[in-house]
Amino acid sequence: MTNNPGAACPIPLSRYSSVVMAHGGGGRLMRDLIEGVFISAFAPGQTAHLHDAAVLQGPGTRIAMTTDGFVVRPLFFPGSDIGELAVYGTVNDLAMGGARPMYLSASFILEEGLPIETLQRVVTSMGRAAECAGVSIVTGDTKVVEKGRCEGMYIATTGVGAVENGVAVGPDRVCKGDAVIVSGDLGRHGIAVMSVREGFVFEAEISSDCAPLWSPVCALLEAGITVHCLRDLTRGGLASALVEIAESADVTITLDEAAIPVTEPVRAACEILGYDALHVANEGRFVAFVPASEAARAAAVLRDVPVSSGACVVGSVAENGGGQVLIETVGGMRPVDMLSGEQLPRIC
Amino acid sequence: MTNNPGAACPIPLSRYSSVVMAHGGGGRLMRDLIEGVFISAFAPGQTAHLHDAAVLQGPGTRIAMTTDGFVVRPLFFPGSDIGELAVYGTVNDLAMGGARPMYLSASFILEEGLPIETLQRVVTSMGRAAECAGVSIVTGDTKVVEKGRCEGMYIATTGVGAVENGVAVGPDRVCKGDAVIVSGDLGRHGIAVMSVREGFVFEAEISSDCAPLWSPVCALLEAGITVHCLRDLTRGGLASALVEIAESADVTITLDEAAIPVTEPVRAACEILGYDALHVANEGRFVAFVPASEAARAAAVLRDVPVSSGACVVGSVAENGGGQVLIETVGGMRPVDMLSGEQLPRIC
């Protein structure tokens, strides 16, 4: 028995090849799992304190806080996995509040029988993603439920970030004349997950767009762009995000269908599957509302950042009032609604 | 359709009596659920912004952050429920770091088919618990999984608190001469959950001890007690908490079995079930390490706070080194170990 909880402990990986109920029991096995799997991925080389709460340098006078649960099925899919998703999804919600992501917590619900090797892969992916996104995973928790009571694992992450001085973004600032910019092509995440889940084979493999979005947001702020509102395009896609903003800000948003970037493979997959790309989930895309006079410069700033190199203006706020989204298509103007059914369950 | 997302929306409760997959789909039904169920319980009367991240007043130069998942089975048990547990469990982890609890996030994983009425009960209980504990639930997330892929609901909460100036508690401060104080009688939470789960009927109903613990910690700090370490006694009970501290601080802790407070009904239940009360979970009890010279005063301060009115000294740090816990029983000294099996799964 070691008295240094920071020493990586290889015991559980040789003694257990899969998760057992006692890994969640609060006793020695759970500590083995924490030391052998989580700490080595999230805080390698660090003497862990294994204390109930992490004590952190406060991020300033205004903090942002957000949480997200991840139940994506399957755990691994083209271009990403549940671990990366759990980091980037939460980091991106902070970025959309104009906040620099700093700290993450991770709560795991594990299914009895989950191979430890699978957990290792996910946790390693989370550690790598956290490094890419510039955040620290500072605290965590693990529970184990009986076989069949969850599907491999569910993860909930919570993020805390620092709201940059003077930044105030939100739907209440959206107004007539704003341009609507999307940060890149739409729909890859949703199609990537559905393709592996349903066993579809498309001509070109479609990879998830899963990516951290603070760097393009930071670029906009540092360039002095007047950012009115930011929203990442996750469940429900561009359509749901815009309808929510239009209703909340009570404005009418018009979109130009021809300007909305969708790659040919995604377009083809949507046609086969009967999906509308506007409703398909993304995990590395966002929409920005900026005054029309700054739209071209904002799009140029975004295109200089790799993750948003495909940014373009797709519409505008046509008038105050109305609380709706309209799209101009070859067949004329039609209203856009939120996704209301269960088209793409467990996509994140 | 309303443009004010803060207006309570009774639609989902009349149209749906149970959770459907689309309640987690990111579209209109999910918004109905958020507005109709969550906001009215967590932020009644408040115009919700429904934004990705909550922006909050920063809690000062040092913050504490902690997270916990809750998978307790059943959802309701004598004296408490999963909602109250999810609030107090996380609030207590902050308190154990010497931090005043301020903000909570809540991530829900719901099983398709869960009665909305059940969700309402849990969420109402969370709102009440948050008020009791003096915290705000500021952000949340909901996912829905297929029937059978979770058991009613799982909840992960994350807390952020302000570390009081000058406070530094942790196992590294524990040293020879410290007194070990427990804040009240042990084992009620674990027995309460097991009794309803297994259908045991005891002569006297045993209620969970689930309670928020910041007020007794705050009382200790305000009384100027030199608090070396605090730990709440959840999964794994007093035994696991003390073994973890003894190993981490590399000290030998001795306990006096006769001094450890266990009520007669819990003692009888443990005997019938073959449990050791030292391993049984609590949700409103903690252990404090203070210098022996301050022990009597610390216990008196705790006994003045209702939730810790049963506080008493149960042992001491006998020597530096050793990394173990010993208990003095009528049969002599014996070592105490962490819970290593799955004696009480899904107790929180």
Side-chain angles (χ1 to χ4, degrees):
Chain A
M1 195 53 231
T2 173
N3 288 315
N4 173 8
C9 168
I11 297 170
L13 311 180
S14 53
R15 239 183 24 197
Y16 292 90
S17 63
S18 60
V19 170
V20 298
M21 288 302 291
H23 276 129
R28 198 167 295 286
L29 271 183
M30 191 172 82
R31 220 185 62 176
D32 289 349
L33 186 76
I34 292 169
E35 292 175 6
V37 177
F38 294 112
I39 290 178
S40 57
F42 297 158
Q46 192 184 300
T47 300
H49 288 296
L50 291 177
H51 210 53
D52 286 319
V55 175
L56 312 163
Q57 189 61 39
T61 47
R62 284 194 307 159
I63 66 170
M65 184 174 182
T66 189
T67 194
D68 234 331
F70 297 87
V71 298
V72 66
R73 184 167 60 87
L75 301 176
F76 304 92
F77 46 87
S80 191
D81 59 67
I82 189 173
E84 197 179 77
L85 205 58
V87 171
Y88 293 159
T90 292
V91 157
N92 291 350
D93 282 346
L94 291 174
M96 295 305 120
R100 181 184 298 276
M102 296 182 70
Y103 305 118
L104 282 192
S105 67
S107 169
F108 295 85
I109 295 171
L110 306 179
E111 184 184 14
E112 181 186 20
L114 176 77
I116 296 279
E117 188 266 335
T118 304
L119 180 61
Q120 286 270 27
R121 269 180 75 193
V122 169
V123 163
T124 303
S125 172
M126 289 181 80
R128 202 166 37 222
E131 205 182 327
C132 281
V135 292
S136 305
I137 300 174
V138 294
T139 189
D141 182 66
T142 308
K143 295 291 187 303
V144 179
V145 295
E146 298 84 358
K147 203 163 177 58
R149 292 300 178 187
C150 113
E151 204 159 348
M153 74 178 81
Y154 302 146
I155 305 176
T157 52
T158 301
V160 167
V163 182
E164 304 280 303
N165 273 339
V167 172
V169 297
D172 50 311
R173 297 195 61 209
V174 169
C175 58
K176 185 176 171 175
D178 279 0
V180 179
I181 302 175
V182 298
S183 69
D185 65 297
L186 301 182
R188 282 201 279 119
H189 175 71
I191 298 296
V193 173
M194 292 306 287
S195 67
V196 51
R197 192 149 89 199
E198 309 296 343
F200 298 128
V201 179
F202 301 115
E203 254 174 76
E205 188 183 78
I206 297 168
S207 277
S208 170
D209 49 62
C210 191
L213 295 176
W214 171 245
S215 56
V217 170
C218 184
L220 287 176
L221 299 176
E222 285 181 353
I225 302 288
T226 313
V227 179
H228 284 166
C229 187
L230 299 165
R231 187 68 56 96
D232 55 340
L233 309 175
T234 55
R235 281 180 288 180
L238 178 66
S240 295
L242 290 184
V243 170
E244 210 171 282
I245 291 169
E247 292 182 353
S248 175
D250 195 18
V251 297
T252 296
I253 297 171
T254 54
L255 295 175
D256 174 7
E257 190 178 44
I260 296 172
V262 180
T263 64
E264 208 33 66
V266 168
R267 196 180 302 277
C270 281
E271 233 162 70
I272 293 166
L273 301 170
Y275 295 157
D276 180 342
L278 291 186
H279 283 140
V280 177
N282 313 270
E283 284 293 339
R285 297 291 178 253
F286 67 102
V287 64
F289 287 74
V290 306
S293 59
E294 302 181 40
R297 195 163 66 90
V301 166
L302 289 175
R303 283 194 292 265
D304 271 352
V305 181
V307 73
S308 52
S309 59
C312 54
V313 177
V314 298
S316 63
V317 179
E319 46 187 307
N320 293 327
Q324 59 179 334
V325 180
L326 302 171
I327 187 164
E328 196 166 344
T329 69
V330 285
M333 213 66 149
R334 64 170 177 88
V336 173
D337 202 3
M338 292 173 106
L339 185 66
S340 69
E342 51 180 281
Q343 187 193 59
L344 294 165
R346 299 188 49 191
I347 209 73
C348 62
Chain B
M1 194 53 229
T2 171
N3 287 316
N4 172 9
C9 166
I11 296 171
L13 311 180
S14 53
R15 237 182 26 197
Y16 292 91
S17 63
S18 61
V19 170
V20 298
M21 288 302 291
H23 276 129
R28 199 166 293 284
L29 271 183
M30 192 173 80
R31 220 184 61 175
D32 288 349
L33 186 76
I34 292 169
E35 292 175 6
V37 176
F38 293 112
I39 290 178
S40 56
F42 296 160
Q46 193 184 299
T47 299
H49 290 295
L50 291 177
H51 210 54
D52 285 321
V55 174
L56 311 163
Q57 189 59 39
T61 47
R62 283 194 307 158
I63 67 170
M65 185 174 181
T66 188
T67 194
D68 234 330
F70 297 87
V71 298
V72 66
R73 184 166 60 85
L75 301 176
F76 303 92
F77 46 86
S80 191
D81 58 68
I82 190 173
E84 195 178 80
L85 206 58
V87 172
Y88 292 159
T90 291
V91 157
N92 291 349
D93 282 346
L94 290 174
M96 296 304 119
R100 181 184 298 276
M102 295 183 70
Y103 305 118
L104 282 191
S105 68
S107 168
F108 295 84
I109 294 171
L110 306 179
E111 184 184 13
E112 181 186 21
L114 176 76
I116 297 278
E117 190 265 336
T118 305
L119 179 62
Q120 285 270 27
R121 269 179 75 192
V122 169
V123 163
T124 303
S125 172
M126 289 181 79
R128 202 165 38 222
E131 205 183 326
C132 281
V135 292
S136 305
I137 300 173
V138 294
T139 189
D141 183 65
T142 308
K143 295 291 187 303
V144 179
V145 295
E146 298 84 358
K147 204 164 175 56
R149 293 300 179 187
C150 114
E151 205 161 346
M153 75 178 82
Y154 302 146
I155 305 175
T157 52
T158 301
V160 167
V163 182
E164 304 279 305
N165 272 339
V167 172
V169 297
D172 51 309
R173 297 194 63 208
V174 169
C175 59
K176 185 176 169 176
D178 278 359
V180 179
I181 302 176
V182 299
S183 69
D185 64 298
L186 300 182
R188 281 201 278 121
H189 175 72
I191 298 296
V193 173
M194 292 307 286
S195 67
V196 51
R197 191 148 91 201
E198 309 296 342
F200 298 129
V201 179
F202 302 115
E203 253 173 77
E205 188 184 77
I206 296 167
S207 278
S208 170
D209 49 62
C210 190
L213 296 175
W214 170 246
S215 56
V217 169
C218 184
L220 287 176
L221 299 175
E222 285 181 353
I225 302 288
T226 313
V227 179
H228 284 166
C229 187
L230 299 165
R231 187 68 56 96
D232 56 340
L233 309 175
T234 55
R235 282 181 288 182
L238 178 66
S240 294
L242 290 183
V243 170
E244 210 172 281
I245 291 168
E247 291 181 353
S248 174
D250 194 18
V251 297
T252 296
I253 297 170
T254 55
L255 295 176
D256 175 7
E257 190 178 46
I260 295 171
V262 180
T263 63
E264 208 34 63
V266 169
R267 196 181 301 278
C270 282
E271 232 162 71
I272 293 166
L273 302 171
Y275 295 158
D276 180 343
L278 292 186
H279 284 140
V280 177
N282 312 269
E283 284 293 339
R285 296 291 177 253
F286 67 101
V287 63
F289 287 75
V290 305
S293 59
E294 301 182 39
R297 196 164 65 89
V301 166
L302 288 176
R303 283 194 293 265
D304 272 351
V305 181
V307 74
S308 53
S309 60
C312 54
V313 177
V314 298
S316 63
V317 179
E319 46 188 306
N320 293 327
Q324 60 178 333
V325 180
L326 302 171
I327 187 164
E328 198 167 341
T329 69
V330 286
M333 213 67 148
R334 65 172 176 86
V336 172
D337 202 2
M338 290 173 108
L339 185 67
S340 67
E342 51 180 280
Q343 187 194 58
L344 294 165
R346 298 187 50 191
I347 209 73
C348 61

